[in-house]
Amino acid sequence: MPATVVVGTQWGDEGKGKLTDLLARDVQVVVRYQGGHNAGHTIVVDGETFALQLIPSGVLYDHVVPVIGNGVVVEPTVLLAECAALSARGIDMSRLVVSGNAHLVMPYHIEIDRVTERYLGKAKLGTTKRGIGPAYADKAARIGLRVQDLLDPKIFRQKLEVVLREKNAVLAKVYNRLPLDGDEIAAKYLGEVAPALAPMIGDSVRLVHEALDAGHQIMLEGAQATFLDLDHGTYPFVTSSNPTAGGACVGTGIGPRDIDRVIGIAKATCSSNSDMNTGRTRAAGVVRDGWTSSCSVTLCASIPSRRSPSPSSTFSRLSTPSKSVSLTATEMPFTSTSPTTSRCFTAPSPSTASCRVGAQTSPERGPYRISPKQLALTSRSLPSTPACR
């Protein structure tokens, strides 16, 4: 059976956790394909709240194999702490598979992330300072350490020595920080982290392909959302990976023909107009009195693949039943394409207050403010997003 990709179509916090938990009931494998512990999902089950950062949402179902794919950057101490917390609440963590090709977030990544943000001053990006960006940078520079390196102490020490030579020089000579102790890092990661993580390490690409060949249902779960995509987002205020559907192929090791369905999650209003740390405008959003407002309405669009015989453009409400709605493409005031070609939409604000888009106002759409320098959007043209292409 082909795979299903779940993506956020805006700037995150659309409620993907709720939907992934709902869909996980009918799948056998759930794969997290990008991001790190700078994002995650909050799921409430029978009154219990589970905050997941690295582990896929499907872990809460006994029949699901949760997989951390090769596109994820893993902070192993955070992952082990999350596993311990879930185990303490009765969740079986023996099913978890971590790709040996996933890259590690190391202590020097976190330190560089912190000092870089500090030295940028007013130009800072507002990162989580958890080392995600520097870890992806090292991956692209081909000097990163991978999860599988923990299984070979000699290789781990060799790679660590090489990369620390550069990182310590940058920390000491550029940022006036003390260098990190390579022996101390190696002792912790090889002595404490490796033995605990070793049983989880596996070949995630082979596992996913075997599941596809066996006809199992697979869900590919991303973090963040479309407009935080490194290539297609509101650069430079983006994440360091590709949360879009195309990123799911790279982050899991499957081809696009293995994906049958892409589900895009959207909120009725956007809530990432400005960065909370810098106050700089990041994206289009709903603004009232200078603050972004957010609404609990979550819309879900199921986008079939191009092989599907009958594309559907109907949006179904997957939030509070008492306020359920059903919208079709022809009813969406922000779509500029026909219902047969439309792929992703964002619902309008339910507010009837006056709306300000640049210098224009619209009484029926609520108060939208859009930055034309960052997004080529207008009040009548919210695009089919890259998440659904």
Side-chain angles (χ1 to χ4, degrees):
M1 293 293 290
T4 296
V5 183
V6 178
V7 296
T9 59
Q10 295 159 318
W11 292 269
D13 297 325
E14 299 95 349
K16 294 186 295 295
K18 182 184 298 183
L19 182 68
T20 52
D21 181 64
L22 178 67
L23 294 176
R25 295 182 301 185
D26 303 318
V27 303
Q28 286 74 47
V29 181
V30 178
V31 186
R32 167 79 177 272
Y33 61 84
Q34 51 79 221
H37 64 297
N38 58 337
H41 302 313
T42 300
I43 301 172
V44 179
V45 180
D46 296 331
E48 285 192 78
T49 301
F50 297 87
L52 306 176
Q53 290 183 296
L54 282 168
I55 298 175
S57 302
V59 72
L60 301 181
Y61 291 95
D62 293 336
H63 67 279
V64 171
V65 177
V67 179
I68 295 178
N70 57 272
V72 179
V73 288
V74 178
E75 213 289 22
T77 59
V78 172
L79 175 60
L80 292 175
E82 192 173 342
C83 289
L86 290 173
S87 295
R89 300 176 70 174
I91 306 299
D92 178 17
M93 297 307 302
S94 64
R95 296 169 287 131
L96 178 65
V97 177
V98 181
S99 172
N101 288 339
H103 278 247
L104 294 171
V105 177
M106 301 295 289
Y108 48 82
H109 293 139
I110 299 171
E111 184 65 16
I112 289 175
D113 204 358
R114 289 173 180 170
V115 296
T116 301
E117 279 288 279
R118 187 181 308 137
Y119 272 72
L120 284 173
K122 293 182 179 180
K124 66 182 180 180
L125 300 175
T127 74
T128 57
K129 302 182 181 67
R130 296 180 181 179
I132 308 301
Y136 275 113
D138 279 2
K139 177 180 180 178
R142 293 162 293 177
I143 58 173
L145 277 77
R146 299 192 291 180
V147 169
Q148 61 182 294
D149 294 331
L150 292 169
L151 303 178
D152 190 322
K154 182 180 179 180
I155 289 179
F156 184 89
R157 289 181 182 275
Q158 287 176 346
K159 289 186 173 183
L160 181 63
E161 181 182 356
V162 171
V163 73
L164 268 185
R165 198 177 303 150
E166 177 206 350
K167 303 302 180 184
N168 279 337
V170 172
L171 287 171
K173 297 180 181 180
V174 177
Y175 297 112
N176 196 29
R177 305 290 294 180
L178 293 174
L180 300 178
D181 189 337
D183 291 334
E184 183 179 334
I185 295 174
K188 178 180 179 180
Y189 276 69
L190 295 176
E192 300 175 18
V193 173
L197 200 60
M200 308 176 191
I201 301 174
D203 186 347
S204 63
V205 176
R206 178 177 178 179
L207 184 152
V208 170
H209 278 274
E210 288 179 348
L212 288 170
D213 293 341
H216 293 160
Q217 294 278 356
I218 296 178
M219 182 171 66
L220 310 180
E221 170 190 357
Q224 288 97 23
T226 299
F227 290 126
L228 293 179
D229 187 278
L230 181 60
D231 292 283
H232 305 291
T234 51
Y235 190 90
F237 304 105
V238 293
T239 190
S240 302
S241 56
N242 299 101
T244 49
C249 295
V250 179
T252 56
I254 64 174
R257 297 174 69 90
D258 293 318
I259 296 175
D260 178 69
R261 191 170 53 152
V262 175
I263 299 178
I265 313 298
K267 287 191 295 189
T269 61
C270 306
S271 58
S272 289
N273 183 267
S274 61
D275 179 74
M276 295 301 292
N277 295 320
T278 65
R280 300 172 66 181
T281 302
R282 296 181 61 166
V286 178
V287 182
R288 292 183 178 88
D289 298 327
W291 291 89
T292 57
S293 65
S294 126
C295 146
S296 61
V297 180
T298 301
L299 298 173
C300 167
S302 178
I303 293 84
S305 70
R306 294 176 182 174
R307 299 183 314 224
S308 302
S310 56
S312 170
S313 57
T314 301
F315 281 61
S316 58
R317 176 75 156 74
L318 293 178
S319 190
T320 311
S322 60
K323 296 182 180 179
S324 62
V325 295
S326 178
L327 301 176
T328 62
T330 54
E331 295 171 342
M332 306 296 286
F334 282 103
T335 163
S336 60
T337 54
S338 67
T340 57
T341 59
S342 299
R343 282 191 161 307
C344 266
F345 308 90
T346 302
S349 166
S351 169
T352 58
S354 293
C355 159
R356 186 171 187 83
V357 183
Q360 300 179 354
T361 60
S362 175
E364 70 272 15
R365 290 197 179 98
Y368 282 79
R369 181 182 301 165
I370 293 179
S371 172
K373 292 183 179 180
Q374 293 182 0
L375 294 175
L377 303 181
T378 69
S379 60
R380 298 182 183 277
S381 176
L382 208 60
S384 61
T385 68
C388 303
R389 293 174 184 169

